[in-house]
Amino acid sequence: MRKRLTDYDNPWKEALERYFPEFMALFFPKAYADIDWGHKHEFLDKELRQVTGESELGLRRVDQLVRVYRQGGLEIWVLVHVEVQSQTESSFAERMYVYNYRLYDRYHRQVASLAVLADETMTWRPTEFSYNLWDCEIGIRFPAVKLLDYRARWDELEASSNPFAVIVMAHLKSLETRHADDERLAAKIWLMRRLYRRGYQQQDIVNLFRFIDWIMQLPEGLDQIFWQEVQEIEEAEHMPYITSVERIGMQRGIEQGIQQGIQQGMEQGMEQGSRVELLAAIELGLELRFGTSSLTLLPEVRRVQDVELLRTLRTALRTVPTLDAWRQLLLAMVQQESAHTSRTPAHAH
């Protein structure tokens, strides 16, 4: 059985950035109602790193600091602390307290700390941290949402048009089917059907597909079945959003390769056509897997001339746990090809 991904931080981070208002509406409706969404909210990654430190931003959680405005024009910074992990952590509540007071101490603004617990332990529900010394009491109480509770509220998720309801369903199904490939395939197909039948816009379908495909990975054989099902769903719904993007990317590569083949000769053109096709597939895979920000790596990708190395990079997009891991592989490929070129005698060209 293929090893399951245990690092959910990247898809959750992207989901929060794309659907922050919907996230607040679903999980923290009181706060959502008090925020003036007419003012643009702003993610403050740099400011958060200044108070938490790079070493504390580990792979098992997603921490976000967001500046929003309350109704009436009052500015408030909201620390949205999303914990995505497979085991409990005794220092979680203390960390919420520490981040809160560090932010207040640094910026002297009110900070609301909010928690989403995405672990698999029903009894772990931290909501406060405090201590008392000589009648001096210090501490924090914070609202925490337990994703496992939504198993009993599944009908609410199904009835909701909020995109974050889909994210919660996908996360729960990912946990439930961790060791059951056939069940995961069925759940993944069901989620995809729901995306189209709920009437989401094309970009929402693409965004949510990226999250679902990211955290509900399948073995290669079942993955092929899934893609066939997606194609059938899109044909039945007359909405070729996902498969058409892939086909367009592949076709663009083929057409460019054919054109270059006419100009440079059939044999060279076929090889270049394969390379351009792979570049198009890698570009699509990067965007679907890691978001548009990952496309900054494309200049480095285009430095790779060897078709086999590009195939390796394309395949790795479905197996690497993080973008950084894929970037390291890319750099290794570039260095490998550069070293090979430098060793090749000039007369060999």
Side-chain angles (χ1 to χ4, degrees):
M1 179 178 293
R2 189 168 62 91
K3 184 180 179 180
R4 295 291 187 211
L5 276 176
T6 56
D7 173 17
Y8 293 115
D9 64 326
N10 284 318
W12 268 91
K13 181 178 176 62
E14 180 177 307
L16 274 170
E17 291 175 351
R18 289 185 180 276
Y19 297 111
F20 180 68
E22 292 83 358
F23 164 84
M24 294 294 290
L26 181 67
F27 291 142
F28 305 102
K30 182 178 180 179
Y32 173 83
D34 192 44
I35 294 174
D36 183 356
W37 296 103
H39 283 271
K40 183 178 180 180
H41 59 277
E42 180 183 2
F43 288 91
L44 304 172
D45 292 342
K46 180 180 178 181
E47 288 81 356
L48 182 59
R49 286 196 297 271
Q50 288 174 349
V51 300
T52 62
E54 293 282 357
S55 62
E56 295 183 48
L57 297 178
L59 291 177
R60 294 189 303 143
R61 63 179 186 267
V62 177
D63 301 293
Q64 290 283 17
L65 180 62
V66 190
R67 175 160 47 207
V68 300
Y69 288 85
R70 298 178 63 186
Q71 297 288 345
L74 299 176
E75 183 180 6
I76 183 170
W77 287 7
V78 180
L79 173 62
V80 181
H81 188 151
V82 183
E83 186 88 5
V84 183
Q85 63 177 27
S86 60
Q87 58 185 3
T88 62
E89 184 176 335
S90 59
S91 62
F92 177 82
E94 180 181 4
R95 186 169 65 253
M96 294 288 282
Y97 165 73
V98 170
Y99 286 6
N100 188 287
Y101 82 67
R102 284 183 184 175
L103 286 164
Y104 181 83
D105 181 60
R106 187 178 185 89
Y107 300 107
H108 294 282
R109 291 190 180 276
Q110 296 182 31
V111 179
S113 296
L114 313 174
V116 173
L117 308 176
D119 64 290
E120 297 184 79
T121 305
M122 282 293 293
T123 56
W124 186 62
R125 296 172 180 269
T127 58
E128 63 180 273
F129 173 82
S130 64
Y131 64 89
N132 187 310
L133 178 62
W134 301 324
D135 295 327
C136 176
E137 185 171 354
I138 302 294
I140 185 176
R141 287 198 307 270
F142 53 89
V145 171
K146 189 76 171 183
L147 294 189
L148 289 183
D149 289 343
Y150 281 87
R151 288 176 175 172
R153 302 171 59 182
W154 191 262
D155 290 344
E156 294 180 33
L157 295 176
E158 285 195 40
S160 175
S161 59
N162 188 324
F164 235 91
V166 178
I167 290 169
V168 175
M169 288 190 288
H171 184 89
L172 292 176
K173 287 298 182 183
S174 176
L175 296 179
E176 292 174 8
T177 62
R178 188 188 302 276
H179 305 295
D181 291 331
D182 291 337
E183 293 180 15
R184 173 166 290 195
L185 172 63
K188 195 170 179 179
I189 292 172
W190 178 84
L191 285 167
M192 287 303 299
R193 291 187 188 278
R194 186 182 182 280
L195 287 185
Y196 291 93
R197 294 176 179 177
R198 288 294 300 178
Y200 289 110
Q201 297 297 312
Q202 178 175 355
Q203 191 57 56
D204 289 326
I205 290 177
V206 172
N207 293 341
L208 294 171
F209 165 80
R210 182 187 294 119
F211 185 91
I212 293 169
D213 195 47
W214 202 335
I215 69 169
M216 300 183 71
Q217 292 190 12
L218 292 164
E220 184 174 352
L222 294 182
D223 193 54
Q224 291 176 355
I225 295 174
F226 170 72
W227 274 100
Q228 292 171 1
E229 290 288 339
V230 170
Q231 183 173 353
E232 292 179 7
I233 292 170
E234 293 198 327
E235 289 176 352
E237 301 293 334
H238 305 291
M239 300 177 184
Y241 297 160
I242 303 298
T243 53
S244 64
V245 171
E246 181 174 83
R247 285 196 297 269
I248 289 171
M250 299 294 283
Q251 186 62 32
R252 184 185 301 124
I254 293 170
E255 290 174 356
Q256 291 178 7
I258 291 173
Q259 181 64 32
Q260 293 176 13
I262 294 173
Q263 296 172 356
Q264 302 174 14
M266 183 60 68
E267 181 176 350
Q268 182 180 356
M270 288 177 64
E271 180 179 350
Q272 184 65 14
S274 178
R275 179 176 179 275
V276 176
E277 178 180 340
L278 285 167
L279 288 173
I282 289 172
E283 179 178 355
L284 175 70
L286 277 171
E287 185 172 7
L288 286 176
R289 181 81 193 278
F290 300 113
T292 54
S293 62
S294 67
L295 299 182
T296 56
L297 293 176
L298 287 178
E300 285 296 318
V301 175
R302 296 188 184 105
R303 289 179 58 188
V304 180
Q305 299 297 319
D306 188 281
V307 172
E308 291 304 317
L309 294 182
L310 288 173
R311 287 198 181 99
T312 300
L313 287 170
R314 180 191 62 182
T315 302
L317 281 171
R318 286 198 168 275
T319 58
V320 294
T322 65
L323 178 60
D324 186 61
W326 193 85
R327 182 189 293 111
Q328 294 302 317
L329 176 62
L330 168 62
L331 294 177
M333 296 290 186
V334 172
Q335 293 172 1
Q336 175 183 336
E337 190 171 60
S338 176
H340 176 75
T341 302
S342 65
R343 290 195 302 269
T344 303
H347 63 75
H349 299 285

